C-alpha cells in the first residue's frame, strides 16, 4: 500500500488537545484532573497546551482517572512526536532545495 503524502503532511495535533476535549466532555477542570492524578495543575496545563509530552507514567495516571487505556495516550504522543519530526525534516529539505 502506497503512503499518501497528504496524510504524512497532516498537521501534528498534540494529544493534549484531545485531553482538553475529553475534559470538556466530562465537565472536568484541569485542576480537578490534576488533583485526581496527584500532579500539579501546571503540568496538566502544559500537556494540554502542547508544551509537555505525555509520558508513560502520565498515561497510566490518565488511565486510572479517566479510564482511557494508557496505550492510547502513549500512541497519541508517539504519533504526534513523529509527525512533528517528519514535518521539520520536510521543511529542512525544502529549505536546502531552495538554498534558503
Amino acid at each position: 500500500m502506497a503512503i499518501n503524502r497528504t496524510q504524512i503532511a497532516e498537521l501534528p495535533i498534540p494529544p493534549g488537545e484531545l485531553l482538553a476535549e475529553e475534559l470538556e466532555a466530562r465537565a472536568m477542570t484541569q485542576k480537578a484532573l490534576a488533583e485526581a492524578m496527584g500532579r500539579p495543575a501546571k503540568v496538566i496545563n502544559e500537556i494540554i497546551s502542547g508544551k509537555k509530552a505525555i509520558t508513560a507514567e502520565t498515561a497510566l495516571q490518565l488511565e486510572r482517572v479517566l479510564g482511557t487505556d494508557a496505550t492510547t495516550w502513549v500512541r497519541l504522543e508517539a504519533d504526534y512526536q513523529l509527525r512533528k519530526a517528519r514535518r521539520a525534516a520536510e521543511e529542512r529539505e525544502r529549505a536546502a532545495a531552495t538554498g534558503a
Side-chain angles (χ1 to χ4, degrees):
M1 180 167 117
I3 297 175
N4 182 335
R5 290 194 60 82
T6 303
Q7 291 171 329
I8 291 173
E10 280 183 51
L11 285 175
I13 298 172
E17 285 187 27
L18 300 172
L19 178 57
E21 290 174 12
E22 183 64 25
L23 292 179
E24 186 176 330
R26 293 171 185 247
M28 185 178 206
T29 65
Q30 291 180 29
K31 183 179 178 184
L33 176 62
E35 288 172 0
M37 291 173 63
R39 303 290 295 272
K42 180 180 178 185
V43 170
I44 302 306
N45 181 266
E46 289 174 342
I47 289 170
I48 287 175
S49 65
K51 295 176 184 171
K52 188 169 187 67
I54 294 177
T55 64
E57 180 181 346
T58 301
L60 288 170
Q61 292 170 334
L62 289 169
E63 177 181 75
R64 179 179 51 80
V65 174
L66 301 177
T68 308
D69 186 56
T71 304
T72 299
W73 294 110
V74 170
R75 286 182 180 160
L76 287 168
E77 184 63 46
D79 184 55
Y80 170 64
Q81 295 298 334
L82 182 58
R83 286 177 189 271
K84 262 187 13 179
R86 185 171 280 133
R87 182 165 227 147
E90 289 172 353
E91 288 173 9
R92 284 191 304 275
E93 288 172 11
R94 276 194 298 276
T98 61

